[in-house]
Amino acid sequence: KITQTPLSHLTSTHIAKYRDDRLKQVAPGTVRRELSIFSHALETARKEWDYYLPSNPVAGIRKPPEPKGRDRRLEGDEEQRLLDGCMRSTNHWLLPLVCFALETAMRRGELLALEWKDVHVAQSWVHLPDTKNGSPRDVPLSPKAQAILTDLPHDLSGRVFPVHFEALKGLWRRAIERAGIQDLHFHDL
C-alpha cells in the first residue's frame, strides 16, 4: 500500500499502482484531484520542509483522462415544465431561486450563500465574495433578475435564498419529477 511506503522510497510505480487501483473504485476526475493533492503535498515537502526526494513521483505518471463536461441544457418546453414544477412546490423560495439561476448562471453554492448585503439591485449587479475558484466576482443582473430580487421577501438570516443545500436537493428532485424531465441537474441551469 502507498500509505505504508516511506516517502524516501516512493516511486512513480507506487503512484501508478495507486492510480490504477483507485480507478476501479472512483471516477477519473476524483483520481486526478487526488493525484494533484499528492503532487502538491510532495512539492511542499521538497521545497518548504527540505525533505529529500530526488523528484516528485506523481510528475512521472499518466493522469486519467479529463472527464467530459456535461452539456445538458433545457430543450423544447422543458423550461416551462420545470417552472410549472417549481410553482407547485410547497417551498416558496424554489421558483424564484430557479428563475434567478436561469437568469444569472450562478452556481448553486453561490446562490445559496448570496446575502442581501452583497446585492445591488439599483446598480444591476451582485457581489460574490467567495466563489468556487476562490476569487470574488461581480455578476451583472438582467432586468428580469432585478425583478426577481425586488419581489423577494427579506429573510431574517440575511440570505437572499434561505434554503439549505440538502433541502434544495429534495426540492429539485421533486420539481423535475413533477415536470417529467429526465437527467437534469441544477448545475445544468
Side-chain angles (χ1 to χ4, degrees):
K1 283 195 162 198
I2 196 171
T3 57
Q4 297 169 345
T5 305
L7 282 181
S8 58
H9 294 94
L10 194 61
T11 66
S12 294
T13 304
H14 293 107
I15 302 294
K17 178 161 180 18
Y18 171 85
R19 174 203 61 209
D20 296 342
D21 291 345
R22 277 302 272 164
L23 283 170
K24 295 173 186 168
Q25 303 168 350
V26 297
T30 301
V31 176
R32 286 180 68 87
R33 285 187 294 278
E34 289 174 355
L35 292 174
S36 176
I37 292 168
F38 288 166
S39 181
H40 179 73
L42 292 168
E43 282 302 309
T44 300
R46 286 179 58 203
K47 293 177 179 176
E48 295 185 20
W49 304 335
D50 292 327
Y51 198 94
Y52 176 73
L53 291 172
S55 66
N56 185 336
V58 179
I61 67 160
R62 283 180 298 105
K63 310 305 182 284
E66 191 72 44
K68 183 179 177 270
R70 278 182 64 87
D71 61 358
R72 173 74 161 91
R73 300 292 180 263
L74 291 168
E75 300 170 351
D77 68 343
E78 285 183 331
E79 181 175 347
Q80 189 55 55
R81 289 174 25 218
L82 174 62
L83 297 178
D84 291 343
C86 291
M87 215 176 307
R88 296 194 328 252
S89 174
T90 58
N91 185 303
H92 67 275
W93 298 104
L94 182 61
L95 180 62
L97 174 64
V98 169
C99 289
F100 197 72
L102 286 166
E103 236 4 75
T104 63
M106 288 171 57
R107 295 181 178 101
R108 176 180 50 203
E110 295 169 343
L111 292 161
L112 297 180
L114 185 62
E115 296 184 0
W116 283 109
K117 66 182 175 70
D118 295 317
V119 173
H120 308 278
V121 176
Q123 292 83 21
S124 303
W125 60 281
V126 296
H127 178 69
L128 304 178
D130 187 25
T131 63
K132 183 178 179 180
N133 68 8
S135 300
R137 70 182 172 103
D138 294 332
V139 177
L141 298 176
S142 67
K144 186 173 179 180
Q146 288 176 286
I148 292 166
L149 291 175
T150 301
D151 292 342
L152 278 180
H154 286 236
D155 188 75
L156 291 175
S157 70
R159 291 187 4 245
V160 176
F161 300 104
V163 178
H164 189 275
F165 170 79
E166 289 298 325
L168 180 56
K169 287 191 334 190
L171 292 167
W172 177 256
R173 183 180 41 76
R174 289 187 295 278
I176 62 171
E177 284 173 6
R178 283 189 297 270
I181 298 174
Q182 301 293 313
D183 188 39
L184 183 69
H185 300 179
F186 192 91
H187 186 76
D188 298 332
L189 299 179

